[in-house]
Amino acid sequence: MHDARSVRAPSMFRLATASLVGTAVEFYDFFVYGTASALVLGPLFFPTFSPLAGTLAAFGTFGVGFIARPLGSVLFGHIGDRRGRRPVLIVSLLLTGASTVAVGCVPTYGSIGIAAPVLLLVLRFLQGLGLGGEWGGAVLLTAEHAPDHRRGLWSSFPQIGPSLGFLLANGVMLVLSAALTEAQFASWGWRVPFWAAGVLAAAGLWLRGSLAESPRFLELREHARVPLAEVVRGHWRLVLLTAGGLSVGYAVFYAVTTWGLAYGVEQLGVGRTVMLACIMAAVVVKGALTPVVAVLGDRYGRRPLCLAGCAATALWMFPMIALLSTGEPLLMFLGFLVALLAFITMFAVIAAYLPELYEPRVRCTGAAVGYNLGGVLGGALTPIVATAVAHGERVPWGVAAYLTGVALLSLGCFALLPETRPVLAAPVTPAAERPAARG
């Protein structure tokens, strides 16, 4: 039997890196769809709609992925709590990679009619299902191997994966949009990033094939028979509070990376390449600072950083919209950067915080369901609401008001959650298998 404290630093580094690469691949798959929704899917799959309605419809299929994520967290959480964290990583990566490659093969509306958007919807659902299982498996495998006093740091590695996936997805889109004509990009260029997902998924599977099972899972003497039922019965309030708390992070991230991209190109007339460059530069800084913020979480606690991130978001949304509306690249970059720094102040520590809130026997299900429900509340609705609210406004103050409201909701939820860091500074004992906090 393994002890989490006995894992040496080099082994821990390899484990965390494998988790990072896997989440980067899965989030690449998820983000490349969001970028395509903002740039090209509306006219190709909803040509009978007006430009605004086509964008809203494309964002609607984008949102389906978020609706599927909690279902994926239930399905893969059950596997993770019953069979182990490791199998979740393999199956979820296969599902997301295969469905992403398939998106790149779907004929457009002009070729097969209504079947095109229907297929798009189904494949996006499968993408979300796989990603819903990915986060819980990757984070728990890392967090449950990590020593108590460095859990925040090591758990932050999978949280860097979304930044890398976003940069990779948008980097490919940026190169293609700069190298191809509008006609070439609309005809076949947008499909290339989806096809590339197959190669990335194969690389991720190769890295994950040698990972060891979580020692905390192996220590459990009894596994939950129906993890979801136990989570609903004993942790329902905790699930709702974590989902509400996390919703602002999703709202801000997708307001910047998806709605902001579409708004800049379609409403402000800024070039696609310029908008992608502004957003990507802000994401680079966010990704680089993720482990730094996680170390602060190990030292000062998870909850204070979450509260600080929510407060900073609430204060910055109106300035961000004002800077975005100028259409000036440097000012837009500044607006995006501060917003994403507020975001990562919360999300750098979430990978340690959520597992610490749930008892080990239902941890994979509880943490993943709470995390992905936050995605529905914040990520699925934000591009749709923001696009609708911003239509016709010279400066979309309604978007700022919406994001500020979400931030205040999340602030209230985090205020009701307990701190967990001091509890986990103690040695692992059988008593530690009881929940650190039930909210």
Side-chain angles (χ1 to χ4, degrees), residues 252 282 312-313 316-317 323 333-343:
V252 169
T313 300
W316 185 247
M317 290 303 94
L323 293 170
F333 164 71
L334 176 62
F336 295 151
L337 175 62
V338 177
L340 291 182
L341 291 181
F343 158 82

Side-chain angles (χ1 to χ4, degrees), residues 34-384:
T35 305
S37 296
L39 297 178
V40 73
L41 294 187
L44 292 177
F45 289 87
F46 304 94
T48 60
F49 291 15
S50 68
L52 173 64
T55 300
L56 285 170
F59 281 152
T61 61
F62 174 74
V64 165
F66 285 96
I67 295 171
R69 283 174 65 170
L71 299 178
S73 66
V74 171
L75 171 63
F76 288 103
H78 183 89
I79 297 172
D81 284 324
R82 292 282 296 162
R83 304 297 179 188
R85 322 311 192 194
R86 187 175 175 275
V88 171
L89 300 184
I90 306 300
V91 180
S92 63
L93 186 56
L94 276 172
L95 178 59
T96 308
S99 56
T100 303
V101 172
V103 169
C105 301
V106 175
T108 62
Y109 186 94
S111 299
I112 60 174
I114 192 65
V118 170
L119 284 173
L120 208 61
L121 200 69
V122 171
L123 292 172
R124 180 61 176 174
F125 181 88
L126 293 176
Q127 267 193 331
L129 205 66
L131 190 61
E134 159 66 26
W135 185 87
V139 164
L140 287 188
L141 200 64
T142 307
E144 292 183 341
H145 272 92
D148 291 345
H149 67 291
R150 287 289 182 265
R151 182 171 289 114
L153 172 62
W154 291 118
S155 299
S156 73
F157 274 59
Q159 294 296 80
I160 303 172
S163 296
L164 293 179
F166 177 84
L167 291 170
L168 188 58
N170 285 276
V172 174
M173 284 288 191
L174 185 62
V175 170
L176 289 170
S177 62
L180 303 177
T181 65
E182 290 286 341
Q184 289 172 327
F185 185 79
S187 174
W188 58 268
W190 68 271
R191 298 181 182 275
V192 174
F194 291 93
W195 295 335
V199 178
L200 295 174
L205 288 170
W206 177 76
L207 281 171
R208 288 183 164 183
S210 60
L211 293 182
E213 183 54 77
S214 157
R216 186 60 60 91
F217 176 81
L218 296 175
E219 289 171 1
L220 290 176
R221 293 185 295 273
E222 182 182 353
H223 302 294
R225 298 186 62 183
V226 186
L228 179 62
E230 291 196 25
V231 168
V232 172
R233 183 171 60 250
H235 300 271
W236 63 269
R237 182 173 176 268
L238 183 56
V239 169
L240 294 179
L241 287 176
T242 52
L246 295 174
S247 62
V248 66
Y250 284 101
V252 169
F253 188 83
Y254 287 101
V256 169
T257 61
T258 303
W259 171 78
L261 176 61
Y263 180 80
V265 173
E266 296 173 5
Q267 301 297 320
L268 300 179
V270 180
R272 179 191 301 136
T273 302
V274 173
M275 287 302 302
L276 282 172
C278 290
I279 294 169
M280 289 171 66
V283 172
V284 166
V285 179
K286 174 189 83 76
L289 291 179
T290 298
V292 177
V293 177
V295 170
L296 295 177
D298 278 330
R299 182 167 184 178
Y300 299 109
R302 328 302 189 198
R303 183 171 172 268
L305 269 68
C306 291
L307 293 172
C310 290
T313 300
L315 293 172
W316 185 247
M317 290 303 94
F318 279 92
M320 184 191 78
I321 293 300
L323 293 170
L324 170 62
S325 299
T326 66
E328 294 292 331
L330 286 177
L331 295 179
M332 291 190 298
F333 164 71
L334 176 62
F336 295 151
L337 175 62
V338 177
L340 291 182
L341 291 181
F343 158 82
I344 204 58
T345 301
M346 297 172 275
F347 271 58
V349 299
I350 283 300
Y353 195 20
L354 260 64
E356 291 168 354
L357 287 167
Y358 292 88
E359 58 183 302
R361 57 186 278 113
V362 296
R363 182 173 285 161
C364 195
T365 300
V369 169
Y371 186 84
N372 288 295
L373 278 179
V376 175
L377 296 174
L381 296 178
T382 294
I384 300 171

Side-chain angles (χ1 to χ4, degrees), residues 11-21 142 154-155 157-158 211:
S11 299
M12 198 64 237
F13 181 78
R14 287 195 296 270
L15 176 69
T17 301
S19 294
L20 184 158
V21 171
T142 307
W154 291 118
S155 299
F157 274 59
L211 293 182

